Amino acid sequence: MKADNTLMLAVKAFPLRRTLNEWLTIDAAVLIYMAKAIIAALLALWISMKLNLPDPRTAIFTVFIVMQPQSGLVFSKSYYRVLGTIAGVGMSLIIMGMFAQDPIWFIALFALWIGLTTAAGFKYRNFQFYGFVLAGYTLCIVALPVIETPLEVFDIAVSRFSEVVVGIMSATIISDVIFPRRLLDSLITSERERFHNVLSTLRDPQSVFAVFDENNPAVSRFSSGVVGLDAVRINSNFESGSDRRERQHYAHLNHEYMNLSTTFHSLKSIVASIKEGQKMELLRALESLYQPIVSALRTPPEGVLNPEDLNELVSELLEAKKEVQERYERERIVFEGEDEFTSAAYLIIRLLHELHIHCATYLSLLKLRLSGTSSREFSRVVRFSTHTDNVLVALAALRGSGVLLLSMMFWIWTAWPYATLTITMAVVIGLLLGTLPSPIDGVKDFFKGSIFALMFAAIYDFYIIPAYTSDLLTLGLLLAPILGFVGWMTTRPKLPIFSFGFVFMFMSQCALDPFYKIEPTKFLESSLAALIGVIFGGVAYLLVNFWSCSLTQQRVAKILRRQIVGACEGVLNTERSALESTGRDLVQQFSTQGRLNMRSSRLVFEWLLATLEIGRSILAIRRSAQRYSDLHITRSLESIKRYFETPSESTQTVLLVSLKETISSLRGGDKPSEKIPLKHFETLITEFSLIRTILLNSTTFPLSKEDSCR
Amino acid sequence: MPLDITLFGVQMPTLLPIFVIATVVQILLDRIMSDGGLYNHVWHPGLFRTAVFVCLFTTPCLLIYR
């Protein structure tokens, strides 16, 4: 204890304490990661040499592929890598066993398999995608080298699989045992940041009532990270000591945050339209309705760190809820019949309600982490649903099979023995870089990395390894610097594809066989073949990539419209979380795949919000209409459906008229006297007003008049 | 126990099925231990987990190679 204190004092007295601290958090982490990568790679090399596996390069390559700073990512990537390798090895045994003598069937099934794995991969997210892609290109790695001697396929399949397993075991054990960095810890950090961001945005009434300001970071940030944080949560599943209850909390927090952000943005857009209409009185009433939220959040978010403060905040929010309800009852009489007031007030109440729940969940998470007992128990599981556009999937499959057929043709025409490497490389590029925002730039980076790696590989192959290595120990010592260098490159955020290309080429060309056997001609020919493969992959992205901005917009609009139509006629128990996560995932995917510029991204985000809000309203209306049915309601729902199926000026007019009629007939009709039907009745009025307000305000969706793609 | 066994007509070292079984058992044990909160009381969860796996895998191996 005493030694600790003196150490602490010494650290405090150190004049460059901050510098030291910074070094510890940023640079030391990179150094540790480099050390971990070197140790894991050398361990894999040592084990595969000891077990006499024919190709230890695959093991080291696997280490670098799955190695990540956080151990959760390593586990999850390894898991899918093993699954993908099993599928790919199995398929190569089948194809080689049945069609090795028959080129047409062989190539056809090969292309089918590549297309299938690409399509399946595109349907999934994160490392699941990687698993499928791996199942595709493992076929190239296993089947093509033995195409002349098909009887050896079993041996090569077994040894490739063993090497992959050795690499994975080394990487996972090293990253979990030596200075593990848990993904869950980074998850709580980002969750805290996000929570503070929510509080600081909402405590400032200006962020709701001021004009939209693109430079206000808090407002524009209030929607980001939903898809990304969910991926982090999924990947932390495999970590040691990841608690099921904790993960459940994260899932709920993410889902609640999604709801909060939708409500916030909808409220903001309605307020903006009220402002445009110069209805100052209405605006003042809404501001006074919002006032209790501001006063409940008066402590700055930096002061809300421990459970006690948060507990206080939650009870204050509960008070604010009552206060807002009272103010609403008072104001309602003044603004009787105003749709904008009804919908904006409803959104404020909903915002407060959701904020309250969000805070309670966050409090429960803090308690769980501190004492192991949570204050909230979740009865239902929220799922993060995803949606992938089938056109995107079909394009990716076409590209995968196409690049395979192209490189196969190259192989057949040239009859070059090394062209199998071209095929492998082209398939790897054509599959793996498909989810990048701009695959062509990725291919360029990969190419540069490969060239760079070839220089290093040549030095190692023809100078360092023959001149200085005599046994495994010296080989390991000589390899350590370059392995560390690769580890350093993978931590650079700007070089992911470059370093991937470097690893890929270096590992396929470095002379790491159990017995030294490298010839200059073989080295040159295989490098040339691989580089041609990279170019083929790039060509595939150039050819099969006819996404344009306006086409993307059209697709998104169509899919979003279909979601609303689905909400009108589909099953009633669709959950709001499913609607929200699907929409967000979809838009995220399109904005990375479909070349949207800043303006059209904003536009698409607005469409998304409108869809989410309208879809949710429709579901609520349909639920309430089961208790309180009315001819007008069915007719309105019908016209909403028709409008979103075939959007045109005329259907829009019909829709707006029918909505207006419904609302006025509901308002004019007699209210039910019992409590439950009254509640449904009021829900109906609010939701219809909300839909009408949104439709009146959003001039762009689904009838897009503005061309934002220029 | 024999050093090699034959599964579906493929001869393989007995270590391989043992490895697979040990992995499955390990995953189940890990789920139970993490949900039961055992890892909160362990100094180094990763090391502990690895050690458990080593025990699970090597005990049957010792039986074979004795």
Side-chain angles (χ1 to χ4, degrees):
Chain A
M1 213 48 185
K2 206 182 166 196
D4 269 9
N5 278 341
T6 36
L7 192 70
M8 285 301 289
L9 282 179
V11 170
K12 275 186 185 156
F14 192 55
L16 300 169
R17 196 174 80 235
R18 285 206 176 159
T19 323
L20 180 71
N21 221 347
E22 197 181 304
W23 185 83
L24 278 179
T25 46
I26 300 171
D27 297 308
V30 173
L31 285 180
I32 288 174
Y33 175 70
M34 280 163 66
K36 276 159 80 172
I38 296 176
I39 295 172
L42 291 184
L43 184 67
L45 177 71
W46 182 73
I47 295 176
S48 5
M49 290 283 197
K50 282 285 163 197
L51 295 181
N52 241 337
L53 295 174
D55 195 4
R57 280 172 292 214
T58 316
I60 303 191
F61 177 62
T62 309
V63 168
F64 277 103
I65 289 299
V66 297
M67 207 61 181
Q68 310 268 343
Q70 278 112 352
S71 29
L73 295 176
V74 181
F75 287 122
S76 148
K77 206 167 180 182
S78 304
Y79 177 72
Y80 291 112
R81 169 131 201 165
V82 169
L83 291 187
T85 311
I86 290 177
V89 163
M91 196 61 198
S92 24
L93 288 180
I94 293 174
I95 289 195
M96 285 300 281
M98 294 170 85
F99 303 111
Q101 313 291 338
D102 188 345
I104 293 175
W105 276 102
F106 179 77
I107 293 174
L109 275 180
F110 208 133
L112 190 68
W113 175 247
I114 298 284
L116 271 181
T117 48
T118 323
F122 244 74
K123 277 272 181 195
Y124 289 86
R125 294 292 173 282
N126 310 325
F127 295 139
Q128 284 158 333
F129 158 77
Y130 179 71
F132 277 108
V133 166
L134 206 74
Y137 80 75
T138 302
L139 185 57
C140 303
I141 294 175
V142 173
L144 290 179
V146 289
I147 190 77
E148 303 289 336
T149 49
L151 289 180
E152 285 173 20
V153 68
F154 190 74
D155 290 335
I156 195 171
V158 170
S159 50
R160 275 314 91 82
F161 184 65
S162 326
E163 286 146 8
V164 167
V165 171
V166 166
I168 280 172
M169 291 295 285
S170 321
T172 46
I173 288 179
I174 295 296
S175 68
D176 205 23
V177 170
I178 299 179
F179 293 110
R181 266 175 70 194
R182 294 174 70 220
L183 203 55
L184 274 177
D185 295 333
S186 71
L187 194 58
I188 183 76
T189 320
S190 21
E191 198 67 65
R192 190 190 302 132
E193 253 171 46
R194 194 160 81 167
F195 184 69
H196 285 178
N197 189 19
V198 169
L199 292 189
S200 60
T201 311
L202 292 183
R203 68 195 285 267
D204 178 15
Q206 286 305 308
S207 57
V208 179
F209 293 99
V211 203
F212 184 82
D213 178 14
E214 256 173 79
N215 300 323
N216 187 349
V219 176
S220 53
R221 240 187 304 152
F222 201 161
S223 68
S224 59
V226 173
V227 180
L229 270 189
D230 190 71
V232 174
R233 181 182 61 78
I234 290 173
N235 287 329
S236 69
N237 272 3
F238 294 90
E239 272 184 351
S240 54
S242 86
D243 193 327
R244 183 173 44 87
R245 276 182 305 168
E246 201 173 321
R247 289 199 307 269
Q248 227 174 18
H249 274 82
Y250 285 116
H252 274 263
L253 278 176
N254 204 28
H255 164 219
E256 288 158 9
Y257 176 78
M258 243 170 4
N259 292 351
L260 252 177
S261 117
T262 309
T263 314
F264 173 77
H265 284 286
S266 309
L267 177 63
K268 228 179 128 48
S269 70
I270 290 186
V271 165
S273 77
I274 293 175
K275 257 203 158 136
E276 253 171 49
Q278 300 285 334
K279 297 176 185 161
M280 283 334 210
E281 207 177 326
L282 186 57
L283 205 61
R284 261 195 298 282
L286 289 176
E287 272 177 30
S288 103
L289 206 55
Y290 194 78
Q291 193 51 46
I293 303 183
V294 177
S295 52
L297 295 177
R298 64 187 172 276
T299 355
E302 291 73 34
V304 192
L305 282 176
N306 47 3
E308 288 80 40
D309 300 338
L310 205 59
N311 218 348
E312 205 173 310
L313 178 68
V314 170
S315 51
E316 275 188 41
L317 283 174
L318 203 62
E319 286 296 311
K321 252 171 145 172
K322 280 183 204 147
E323 173 75 26
V324 169
Q325 195 63 41
E326 272 170 27
R327 288 189 187 197
Y328 172 64
E329 297 296 336
R330 245 182 293 148
E331 302 280 353
R332 199 162 81 155
I333 305 157
V334 184
F335 295 100
E336 184 70 60
E338 286 234 25
D339 285 345
E340 278 170 338
F341 176 76
T342 320
S343 19
Y346 163 71
L347 285 176
I348 289 180
I349 293 171
R350 199 173 89 192
L351 185 75
L352 180 56
H353 177 68
E354 284 165 358
L355 181 65
H356 178 227
I357 295 177
H358 193 58
C359 289
T361 314
Y362 190 74
L363 171 68
S364 168
L365 175 71
L366 279 190
K367 279 189 187 159
L368 182 70
R369 283 184 69 91
L370 286 176
S371 60
T373 49
S374 57
S375 53
R376 281 195 73 189
E377 290 299 329
F378 301 107
S379 52
R380 75 201 172 90
V381 182
V382 279
R383 274 183 200 290
F384 194 89
S385 339
T386 54
H387 176 93
T388 314
D389 185 24
N390 287 332
V391 173
L392 276 184
V393 173
L395 266 184
L398 179 71
R399 187 162 52 213
S401 308
V403 74
L404 178 83
L405 292 177
L406 181 78
S407 47
M408 281 276 187
M409 274 193 259
F410 174 74
W411 184 34
I412 292 171
W413 280 335
T414 57
W416 186 26
Y418 290 95
T420 51
L421 258 173
T422 308
I423 300 175
T424 310
M425 211 59 167
V427 169
V428 168
I429 297 279
L431 264 57
L432 219 47
L433 305 186
T435 46
L436 291 181
S438 62
I440 305 223
D441 290 341
V443 175
K444 281 180 198 155
D445 278 354
F446 192 97
F447 195 79
K448 285 178 207 155
S450 313
I451 300 275
F452 196 50
L454 281 178
M455 295 192 287
F456 277 89
I459 297 173
Y460 266 86
D461 283 358
F462 303 113
Y463 180 60
I464 296 181
I465 293 179
Y468 296 107
T469 54
S470 51
D471 52 7
L472 205 50
L473 180 70
T474 44
L475 179 64
L477 283 178
L478 288 170
L479 271 181
I482 189 100
L483 297 177
F485 176 61
V486 173
W488 174 79
M489 271 201 301
T490 42
T491 58
R492 295 295 101 186
K494 280 188 185 161
L495 300 172
I497 304 302
F498 182 85
S499 59
F500 179 56
F502 187 92
V503 174
F504 210 108
M505 206 48 129
F506 186 78
M507 287 307 157
S508 59
Q509 297 299 342
C510 193
L512 292 177
D513 310 275
F515 302 101
Y516 179 77
K517 48 164 188 197
I518 193 96
E519 304 148 27
T521 38
K522 192 182 161 207
F523 176 82
L524 287 177
E525 284 205 81
S526 53
S527 322
L528 185 64
L531 289 180
I532 294 175
V534 178
I535 294 172
F536 276 174
V539 169
Y541 284 110
L542 273 178
L543 291 181
V544 190
N545 185 10
F546 39 79
W547 280 114
S548 66
C549 177
S550 57
L551 188 68
T552 310
Q553 278 191 7
Q554 274 173 32
R555 287 293 306 167
V556 176
K558 197 172 165 195
I559 294 170
L560 291 179
R561 284 206 319 262
R562 215 184 291 149
Q563 279 204 330
I564 294 183
V565 175
C568 285
E569 56 189 8
V571 280
L572 249 187
N573 56 5
T574 314
E575 290 204 27
R576 183 175 165 203
S577 65
L579 204 68
E580 295 241 357
S581 50
T582 314
R584 275 168 198 267
D585 182 70
L586 177 88
V587 168
Q588 158 99 4
Q589 207 185 22
F590 269 107
S591 46
T592 52
Q593 299 280 314
R595 288 194 214 158
L596 291 175
N597 58 22
M598 276 305 281
R599 251 174 78 213
S600 42
S601 293
R602 270 271 316 282
L603 195 70
V604 165
F605 184 66
E606 277 167 27
W607 293 351
L608 174 69
L609 283 175
T611 314
L612 293 179
E613 207 54 70
I614 294 177
R616 191 202 50 76
S617 288
I618 290 172
L619 289 176
I621 288 172
R622 284 179 57 201
R623 273 187 212 118
S624 292
Q626 283 178 331
R627 300 291 181 84
Y628 186 93
S629 62
D630 188 81
L631 189 63
H632 284 289
I633 296 175
T634 359
R635 210 181 292 153
S636 296
L637 281 177
E638 197 56 40
S639 53
I640 292 177
K641 200 179 119 193
R642 202 168 312 127
Y643 173 57
F644 282 100
E645 271 169 355
T646 46
S648 66
E649 300 277 351
S650 60
T651 42
Q652 188 179 26
T653 335
V654 172
L655 173 61
L656 286 176
V657 168
S658 112
L659 281 178
K660 195 168 184 187
E661 271 174 13
T662 313
I663 296 170
S664 57
S665 95
L666 279 173
R667 283 216 166 102
D670 4 300
K671 287 183 185 175
S673 49
E674 298 121 73
K675 205 173 172 194
I676 295 173
L678 182 68
K679 204 174 145 250
H680 286 298
F681 177 79
E682 282 181 349
T683 316
L684 283 173
I685 296 185
T686 332
E687 302 290 2
F688 273 119
S689 332
L690 190 61
I691 294 182
R692 181 155 179 269
T693 322
I694 293 173
L695 284 178
L696 278 177
N697 291 338
S698 82
T699 47
T700 47
F701 175 76
L703 296 171
S704 184
K705 291 171 202 139
E706 177 191 10
D707 186 10
S708 64
C709 285
R710 295 273 159 73
Chain B
M1 272 215 277
L3 288 180
D4 290 302
I5 59 167
T6 311
L7 273 183
F8 312 113
V10 180
Q11 197 185 20
M12 59 174 87
T14 322
L15 287 186
L16 195 64
I18 291 181
F19 182 81
V20 173
I21 295 170
T23 312
V24 173
V25 174
Q26 159 81 8
I27 290 170
L28 291 178
L29 260 183
D30 184 55
R31 273 289 120 86
I32 295 169
M33 288 193 292
S34 63
D35 286 349
L38 183 76
Y39 287 128
N40 299 336
H41 307 286
V42 172
W43 166 65
H44 191 323
L47 191 59
F48 179 77
R49 197 155 82 147
T50 314
V52 169
F53 179 71
V54 170
C55 295
L56 281 178
F57 179 48
T58 48
T59 317
C61 294
L62 286 178
L63 288 179
I64 297 173
Y65 283 96
R66 196 165 40 123

